[in-house]
Amino acid sequence: MNDQCPECGSQNLLHDYDRAEVVCSECGLVVRETLLDLGPEWRAFDSEQRDKRERTGAPMTYMIHDKGLSTDIDWRNRDIHGRDLNPGKRAQIYRMRKWQRRIRVSDAMSRNLAFALTELNRLSSHMQLPKNIREAAAVLYRRAIEEGLVRGRSIEGVTAGCLYASCRKCKVPRTLDEIAEYARVEKKEIGRSYRYIMRELGIRLPPTNPLDYIPRFASELGVSPEVQRRAVEILKQAMEVGLTSGKGPMGAAAAALYISSIEHDQRKTQREVSEIAKVTEVTVRNRYKDFQEKLGLEVDV
DNA sequence: AAGACGAAAGTGGTTGA
DNA sequence: TCAACAACTTTCGTCTT
Protein backbone atom coordinates (compact mmCIF):
# COMPACT_ATOMS: atom_id res chain seq x y z
CA MET A 1 0.00 0.00 0.00
CA ASN A 2 1.66 3.19 -1.10
CA ASP A 3 -1.34 5.35 -0.46
CA GLN A 4 -1.42 8.27 1.82
CA CYS A 5 -4.07 10.64 2.94
CA PRO A 6 -4.26 13.77 0.75
CA GLU A 7 -5.49 15.71 3.73
CA CYS A 8 -2.87 15.04 6.32
CA GLY A 9 -0.34 12.84 4.60
CA SER A 10 -0.79 9.99 7.00
CA GLN A 11 -0.18 6.54 5.62
CA ASN A 12 -2.40 5.03 8.22
CA LEU A 13 -5.42 4.21 6.10
CA LEU A 14 -8.25 1.96 7.12
CA HIS A 15 -9.98 -0.24 4.59
CA ASP A 16 -13.65 -0.79 5.02
CA TYR A 17 -14.62 -3.45 2.57
CA ASP A 18 -18.27 -3.49 3.45
CA ARG A 19 -18.68 0.11 2.49
CA ALA A 20 -15.99 -0.01 -0.15
CA GLU A 21 -14.21 2.91 1.37
CA VAL A 22 -10.74 3.77 2.46
CA VAL A 23 -10.74 6.02 5.45
CA CYS A 24 -7.80 7.93 6.86
CA SER A 25 -7.40 7.01 10.47
CA GLU A 26 -5.66 10.26 11.26
CA CYS A 27 -8.29 12.70 10.19
CA GLY A 28 -11.25 10.58 9.18
CA LEU A 29 -11.23 11.68 5.56
CA VAL A 30 -12.70 9.18 3.15
CA VAL A 31 -9.84 8.75 0.75
CA ARG A 32 -11.25 6.43 -1.82
CA GLU A 33 -14.65 5.05 -2.35
CA THR A 34 -14.19 2.27 -4.79
CA LEU A 35 -12.20 -0.45 -3.25
CA LEU A 36 -10.90 -3.55 -4.91
CA ASP A 37 -11.67 -6.90 -3.42
CA LEU A 38 -8.39 -8.54 -2.61
CA GLY A 39 -9.97 -11.98 -2.54
CA PRO A 40 -9.68 -14.36 -5.46
CA GLU A 41 -11.67 -13.39 -8.50
CA TRP A 42 -11.99 -16.94 -9.64
CA ARG A 43 -13.85 -19.92 -8.43
CA ALA A 44 -12.06 -23.16 -7.80
CA PHE A 45 -13.87 -26.43 -8.05
CA ASP A 46 -11.15 -28.62 -6.65
CA SER A 47 -7.92 -28.17 -4.81
CA GLU A 48 -5.75 -28.82 -7.85
CA GLN A 49 -7.44 -26.01 -9.71
CA ARG A 50 -7.08 -23.85 -6.67
CA ASP A 51 -3.35 -24.42 -6.49
CA LYS A 52 -2.92 -23.54 -10.13
CA ARG A 53 -4.98 -20.43 -10.10
CA GLU A 54 -3.98 -19.04 -6.84
CA ARG A 55 -1.42 -16.34 -7.34
CA THR A 56 -1.51 -15.05 -3.85
CA GLY A 57 -1.89 -16.35 -0.35
CA ALA A 58 -5.02 -16.04 1.67
CA PRO A 59 -6.69 -12.67 1.26
CA MET A 60 -5.30 -10.23 3.73
CA THR A 61 -7.62 -9.82 6.56
CA TYR A 62 -8.42 -6.57 8.28
CA MET A 63 -10.08 -8.27 11.15
CA ILE A 64 -6.69 -8.83 12.71
CA HIS A 65 -5.14 -5.58 13.81
CA ASP A 66 -1.78 -6.09 12.14
CA LYS A 67 -3.05 -8.21 9.26
CA GLY A 68 -1.27 -11.15 10.82
CA LEU A 69 2.14 -9.76 10.04
CA SER A 70 3.44 -8.79 13.44
CA THR A 71 6.69 -9.89 14.98
CA ASP A 72 7.58 -10.60 18.55
CA ILE A 73 10.86 -9.74 20.13
CA ASP A 74 11.86 -12.11 22.85
CA TRP A 75 12.39 -10.59 26.25
CA ARG A 76 15.50 -12.64 27.01
CA ASN A 77 18.80 -11.05 26.13
CA ARG A 78 20.09 -14.12 24.35
CA ASP A 79 20.92 -14.82 20.76
CA ILE A 80 19.68 -17.83 18.87
CA HIS A 81 22.38 -20.00 20.39
CA GLY A 82 21.32 -19.05 23.89
CA ARG A 83 24.42 -17.01 24.48
CA ASP A 84 24.36 -13.68 26.29
CA LEU A 85 24.43 -10.66 24.05
CA ASN A 86 27.23 -8.15 24.19
CA PRO A 87 26.32 -4.74 25.66
CA GLY A 88 26.02 -3.06 22.26
CA LYS A 89 23.56 -5.59 20.97
CA ARG A 90 21.68 -5.49 24.21
CA ALA A 91 21.11 -1.79 23.92
CA GLN A 92 19.97 -2.21 20.36
CA ILE A 93 17.50 -4.90 21.30
CA TYR A 94 16.28 -2.77 24.14
CA ARG A 95 15.56 0.07 21.76
CA MET A 96 13.74 -2.24 19.40
CA ARG A 97 11.56 -3.52 22.20
CA LYS A 98 10.72 0.00 23.19
CA TRP A 99 9.55 0.84 19.70
CA GLN A 100 7.61 -2.30 19.39
CA ARG A 101 5.76 -1.42 22.55
CA ARG A 102 4.93 1.98 21.17
CA ILE A 103 3.73 0.55 17.91
CA ARG A 104 1.53 -1.88 19.75
CA VAL A 105 -0.10 0.97 21.64
CA SER A 106 -0.90 2.91 18.53
CA ASP A 107 -2.15 -0.32 17.07
CA ALA A 108 -4.60 -0.74 19.89
CA MET A 109 -5.76 2.73 19.08
CA SER A 110 -6.39 2.04 15.45
CA ARG A 111 -8.20 -1.14 16.35
CA ASN A 112 -10.41 0.84 18.63
CA LEU A 113 -10.87 3.39 15.87
CA ALA A 114 -11.72 0.74 13.34
CA PHE A 115 -14.41 -0.63 15.57
CA ALA A 116 -15.71 2.84 16.30
CA LEU A 117 -15.85 3.74 12.62
CA THR A 118 -17.82 0.61 11.89
CA GLU A 119 -20.24 1.47 14.61
CA LEU A 120 -20.42 5.03 13.39
CA ASN A 121 -21.28 3.83 9.93
CA ARG A 122 -23.89 1.46 11.20
CA LEU A 123 -25.53 4.14 13.28
CA SER A 124 -25.52 6.86 10.71
CA SER A 125 -26.78 4.77 7.88
CA HIS A 126 -29.55 3.51 10.11
CA MET A 127 -30.44 7.07 10.86
CA GLN A 128 -29.89 8.15 7.27
CA LEU A 129 -27.42 10.83 8.17
CA PRO A 130 -25.40 12.53 5.45
CA LYS A 131 -21.77 11.72 4.96
CA ASN A 132 -20.40 15.01 6.23
CA ILE A 133 -21.84 14.28 9.63
CA ARG A 134 -20.31 10.84 9.67
CA GLU A 135 -16.95 12.32 8.89
CA ALA A 136 -17.27 15.07 11.44
CA ALA A 137 -18.10 12.45 14.01
CA ALA A 138 -15.12 10.35 12.97
CA VAL A 139 -12.79 13.29 13.32
CA LEU A 140 -14.20 14.01 16.73
CA TYR A 141 -13.77 10.45 17.83
CA ARG A 142 -10.26 10.49 16.58
CA ARG A 143 -9.47 13.47 18.74
CA ALA A 144 -11.16 11.88 21.70
CA ILE A 145 -9.12 8.75 21.42
CA GLU A 146 -5.90 10.68 20.99
CA GLU A 147 -6.59 12.46 24.23
CA GLY A 148 -7.21 9.15 25.90
CA LEU A 149 -10.81 10.01 26.63
CA VAL A 150 -12.25 6.73 25.51
CA ARG A 151 -10.49 4.65 28.09
CA GLY A 152 -12.86 3.44 30.70
CA ARG A 153 -16.01 4.12 28.79
CA SER A 154 -17.74 2.19 26.10
CA ILE A 155 -16.74 2.74 22.51
CA GLU A 156 -20.40 2.64 21.59
CA GLY A 157 -21.26 5.33 24.06
CA VAL A 158 -18.53 7.61 22.84
CA THR A 159 -19.30 7.10 19.16
CA ALA A 160 -22.93 7.87 19.82
CA GLY A 161 -21.89 10.95 21.73
CA CYS A 162 -19.69 12.10 18.87
CA LEU A 163 -22.50 11.56 16.43
CA TYR A 164 -24.85 13.58 18.56
CA ALA A 165 -22.32 16.38 18.68
CA SER A 166 -21.76 16.33 14.94
CA CYS A 167 -25.45 16.50 14.24
CA ARG A 168 -25.67 19.58 16.35
CA LYS A 169 -22.64 21.15 14.83
CA CYS A 170 -23.97 20.57 11.33
CA LYS A 171 -27.32 22.10 12.24
CA VAL A 172 -29.33 18.97 11.74
CA PRO A 173 -29.93 18.10 15.35
CA ARG A 174 -31.10 14.69 16.38
CA THR A 175 -32.32 14.20 19.88
CA LEU A 176 -30.53 11.97 22.32
CA ASP A 177 -33.58 9.78 22.27
CA GLU A 178 -33.36 9.28 18.54
CA ILE A 179 -29.75 8.27 18.73
CA ALA A 180 -30.38 6.06 21.72
CA GLU A 181 -33.01 4.27 19.67
CA TYR A 182 -30.38 2.92 17.31
CA ALA A 183 -27.33 2.90 19.51
CA ARG A 184 -26.64 -0.01 21.75
CA VAL A 185 -26.32 2.33 24.66
CA GLU A 186 -28.90 4.16 26.62
CA LYS A 187 -29.58 7.83 26.41
CA LYS A 188 -28.07 8.63 29.76
CA GLU A 189 -24.73 7.14 28.82
CA ILE A 190 -24.69 8.94 25.47
CA GLY A 191 -25.35 12.25 27.13
CA ARG A 192 -22.65 11.61 29.66
CA SER A 193 -20.07 10.74 27.04
CA TYR A 194 -21.10 13.69 24.96
CA ARG A 195 -20.70 16.16 27.77
CA TYR A 196 -17.46 14.64 28.93
CA ILE A 197 -15.85 14.76 25.52
CA MET A 198 -16.96 18.24 24.71
CA ARG A 199 -15.66 19.46 28.02
CA GLU A 200 -12.33 17.71 27.73
CA LEU A 201 -11.79 18.81 24.16
CA GLY A 202 -12.86 22.31 25.04
CA ILE A 203 -15.54 22.40 22.39
CA ARG A 204 -18.51 24.57 23.07
CA LEU A 205 -21.60 24.28 20.95
CA PRO A 206 -24.33 26.88 21.13
CA PRO A 207 -27.60 25.56 22.51
CA THR A 208 -29.72 23.86 19.91
CA ASN A 209 -31.71 26.32 17.94
CA PRO A 210 -35.39 25.39 17.69
CA LEU A 211 -35.35 26.64 14.11
CA ASP A 212 -33.10 23.78 13.12
CA TYR A 213 -35.84 21.32 13.93
CA ILE A 214 -38.52 22.98 11.85
CA PRO A 215 -37.67 21.61 8.40
CA ARG A 216 -37.50 18.03 9.58
CA PHE A 217 -40.61 18.19 11.72
CA ALA A 218 -42.49 19.94 8.95
CA SER A 219 -41.69 17.32 6.40
CA GLU A 220 -42.45 14.49 8.77
CA LEU A 221 -45.76 16.12 9.53
CA GLY A 222 -46.45 16.55 5.87
CA VAL A 223 -47.47 20.19 6.02
CA SER A 224 -47.20 22.69 3.21
CA PRO A 225 -44.20 24.99 2.74
CA GLU A 226 -46.30 27.96 3.79
CA VAL A 227 -47.01 26.33 7.10
CA GLN A 228 -43.34 25.71 7.53
CA ARG A 229 -42.48 29.25 6.61
CA ARG A 230 -44.99 30.69 9.01
CA ALA A 231 -43.74 28.43 11.78
CA VAL A 232 -40.25 29.81 11.30
CA GLU A 233 -41.68 33.30 11.50
CA ILE A 234 -43.51 32.57 14.72
CA LEU A 235 -40.46 30.98 16.22
CA LYS A 236 -38.25 33.91 15.34
CA GLN A 237 -40.69 36.26 17.00
CA ALA A 238 -40.85 34.09 20.06
CA MET A 239 -37.10 33.97 20.25
CA GLU A 240 -36.81 37.72 20.06
CA VAL A 241 -39.10 38.14 23.00
CA GLY A 242 -37.09 35.53 24.85
CA LEU A 243 -39.87 32.99 25.06
CA THR A 244 -37.65 30.13 24.09
CA SER A 245 -34.58 30.63 26.20
CA GLY A 246 -34.19 27.99 28.81
CA LYS A 247 -37.02 25.99 27.33
CA GLY A 248 -36.75 22.77 25.39
CA PRO A 249 -36.17 23.61 21.74
CA MET A 250 -38.29 20.75 20.48
CA GLY A 251 -41.30 21.90 22.41
CA ALA A 252 -40.94 25.37 20.96
CA ALA A 253 -40.55 24.08 17.41
CA ALA A 254 -43.57 21.86 17.87
CA ALA A 255 -45.72 24.67 19.19
CA ALA A 256 -44.79 26.96 16.32
CA LEU A 257 -45.74 24.29 13.82
CA TYR A 258 -48.95 23.60 15.65
CA ILE A 259 -50.05 27.21 15.57
CA SER A 260 -48.99 27.65 12.00
CA SER A 261 -50.89 24.55 10.89
CA ILE A 262 -54.06 25.89 12.43
CA GLU A 263 -53.62 29.29 10.84
CA HIS A 264 -53.38 27.67 7.45
CA ASP A 265 -56.36 25.38 7.88
CA GLN A 266 -54.16 22.34 7.88
CA ARG A 267 -54.78 21.66 11.51
CA LYS A 268 -52.64 19.01 13.10
CA THR A 269 -53.62 17.70 16.48
CA GLN A 270 -51.44 18.35 19.46
CA ARG A 271 -50.88 14.65 19.60
CA GLU A 272 -49.55 14.43 16.05
CA VAL A 273 -47.19 17.32 16.55
CA SER A 274 -45.99 16.15 19.91
CA GLU A 275 -45.27 12.67 18.64
CA ILE A 276 -43.00 13.93 15.91
CA ALA A 277 -41.24 16.38 18.16
CA LYS A 278 -40.85 13.67 20.79
CA VAL A 279 -42.40 15.76 23.51
CA THR A 280 -45.72 15.42 25.26
CA GLU A 281 -48.95 17.12 24.36
CA VAL A 282 -48.75 19.03 27.59
CA THR A 283 -45.47 20.61 26.58
CA VAL A 284 -46.79 21.58 23.18
CA ARG A 285 -49.76 23.03 24.94
CA ASN A 286 -47.73 25.05 27.40
CA ARG A 287 -45.47 26.46 24.72
CA TYR A 288 -48.27 27.29 22.41
CA LYS A 289 -50.19 29.00 25.18
CA ASP A 290 -47.10 31.09 25.90
CA PHE A 291 -46.70 32.02 22.27
CA GLN A 292 -50.33 32.82 21.83
CA GLU A 293 -50.49 35.04 24.86
CA LYS A 294 -47.22 36.86 24.58
CA LEU A 295 -47.20 37.31 20.85
CA GLY A 296 -50.82 38.30 20.65
CA LEU A 297 -51.71 35.63 18.14
CA GLU A 298 -55.33 34.98 17.46
CA VAL A 299 -55.62 31.26 17.24
CA ASP A 300 -58.86 29.63 17.86
CA VAL A 301 -60.74 26.77 16.34
C1' DA B 1 -65.58 9.71 20.42
C1' DA B 2 -61.64 12.32 19.76
C1' DG B 3 -59.31 16.26 20.89
C1' DA B 4 -58.10 19.96 23.95
C1' DC B 5 -57.42 21.55 28.53
C1' DG B 6 -55.22 22.14 33.16
C1' DA B 7 -54.07 20.55 37.87
C1' DA B 8 -51.06 17.87 40.48
C1' DA B 9 -47.56 14.69 41.35
C1' DG B 10 -43.31 12.52 39.46
C1' DT B 11 -38.73 12.43 36.88
C1' DG B 12 -33.83 13.32 35.68
C1' DG B 13 -30.38 16.59 35.39
C1' DT B 14 -28.08 20.96 36.84
C1' DT B 15 -26.37 24.07 40.35
C1' DG B 16 -24.54 25.90 44.38
C1' DA B 17 -23.43 25.37 49.22
C1' DT C 1 -22.41 15.06 48.61
C1' DC C 2 -26.77 16.84 49.19
C1' DA C 3 -30.81 19.61 48.60
C1' DA C 4 -33.16 23.06 45.90
C1' DC C 5 -34.74 23.97 41.49
C1' DA C 6 -36.65 24.51 36.65
C1' DA C 7 -38.27 22.25 32.77
C1' DC C 8 -40.64 18.54 31.24
C1' DT C 9 -43.51 14.27 31.72
C1' DT C 10 -47.24 11.40 33.42
C1' DT C 11 -51.65 10.84 34.79
C1' DC C 12 -56.22 11.82 35.09
C1' DG C 13 -60.64 14.11 35.32
C1' DT C 14 -63.29 17.58 32.77
C1' DC C 15 -64.78 20.35 29.03
C1' DT C 16 -65.46 21.13 23.81
C1' DT C 17 -66.30 20.00 19.06
Side-chain angles (χ1 to χ4, degrees), chain A residues 22-296:
Chain A
V22 179
V23 181
C24 173
S25 60
E26 294 291 333
C27 64
L29 183 78
V30 175
V31 178
R32 222 179 29 221
E33 292 195 48
T34 47
L35 200 60
L36 297 178
D37 183 358
L38 296 183
E41 73 270 37
W42 38 260
R43 292 200 294 159
F45 297 99
D46 59 53
S47 64
E48 190 186 351
Q49 241 178 20
R50 181 186 300 269
D51 287 342
K52 271 190 193 151
R53 292 184 176 182
E54 196 169 44
R55 292 157 297 148
T56 62
M60 267 202 284
T61 176
Y62 285 84
M63 304 305 282
I64 303 172
H65 70 290
D66 55 8
K67 302 159 205 153
L69 300 174
S70 70
T71 306
D72 274 327
I73 299 175
D74 197 14
W75 57 270
R76 287 174 301 243
N77 290 321
R78 303 284 172 89
D79 67 10
I80 47 173
H81 307 298
R83 281 195 290 266
D84 281 345
L85 298 167
N86 63 44
K89 270 279 186 238
R90 263 169 92 129
Q92 189 188 352
I93 296 288
Y94 175 78
R95 283 195 300 275
M96 286 169 76
R97 269 204 290 266
K98 184 156 88 187
W99 277 104
Q100 177 132 27
R101 251 199 325 274
R102 290 187 185 165
I103 288 165
R104 282 242 175 84
V105 171
S106 85
D107 244 16
M109 253 165 79
S110 49
R111 248 158 65 127
N112 182 320
L113 230 201
F115 180 59
L117 289 180
T118 310
E119 174 67 5
L120 216 47
N121 271 324
R122 188 188 68 81
L123 265 180
S124 41
S125 46
H126 255 287
M127 303 182 64
Q128 314 194 35
L129 294 173
K131 199 168 239 173
N132 61 328
I133 290 184
R134 266 209 288 265
E135 289 182 26
V139 172
L140 207 58
Y141 189 91
R142 176 87 203 174
R143 286 186 57 192
I145 201 176
E146 272 168 5
E147 301 284 330
L149 304 178
V150 187
R151 176 157 293 166
R153 77 196 59 230
S154 74
I155 296 179
E156 275 128 336
V158 178
T159 43
C162 290
L163 199 60
Y164 173 74
S166 309
C167 287
R168 279 181 63 168
K169 197 170 70 188
C170 300
K171 302 277 177 204
V172 274
R174 299 289 118 124
T175 64
L176 281 177
D177 283 292
E178 285 170 294
I179 294 184
E181 204 174 311
Y182 298 100
R184 287 185 266 251
V185 202
E186 54 182 340
K187 176 183 167 187
K188 215 159 116 188
E189 162 86 11
I190 301 176
R192 238 203 317 261
S193 304
Y194 162 74
R195 258 174 282 120
Y196 177 68
I197 284 176
M198 296 316 257
R199 182 160 45 83
E200 294 300 315
L201 292 181
I203 300 174
R204 187 174 299 275
L205 288 179
T208 352
N209 187 335
L211 285 171
D212 295 334
Y213 283 113
I214 294 285
R216 184 156 62 96
F217 288 172
S219 86
E220 278 180 51
L221 266 175
V223 293
S224 65
E226 301 90 67
V227 173
Q228 177 173 340
R229 216 185 39 73
R230 175 68 179 138
V232 169
E233 215 174 279
I234 294 173
L235 247 186
K236 276 185 180 159
Q237 275 182 42
M239 285 163 68
E240 266 172 37
V241 194
L243 279 181
T244 57
S245 74
K247 305 288 169 48
M250 285 120 65
L257 275 166
Y258 175 67
I259 296 173
S260 170
S261 81
I262 293 172
E263 283 182 353
H264 287 80
D265 281 332
Q266 300 182 28
R267 186 184 200 111
K268 297 288 167 191
T269 67
Q270 294 179 351
R271 163 148 296 287
E272 287 173 297
V273 180
S274 65
E275 257 172 27
I276 286 179
K278 309 267 170 54
V279 294
T280 61
E281 292 166 73
V282 184
T283 304
V284 175
R285 213 141 59 213
N286 291 338
R287 282 299 81 70
Y288 125 77
K289 280 287 165 196
D290 281 356
F291 288 6
Q292 180 178 262
E293 270 171 40
K294 311 245 169 71
L295 297 179

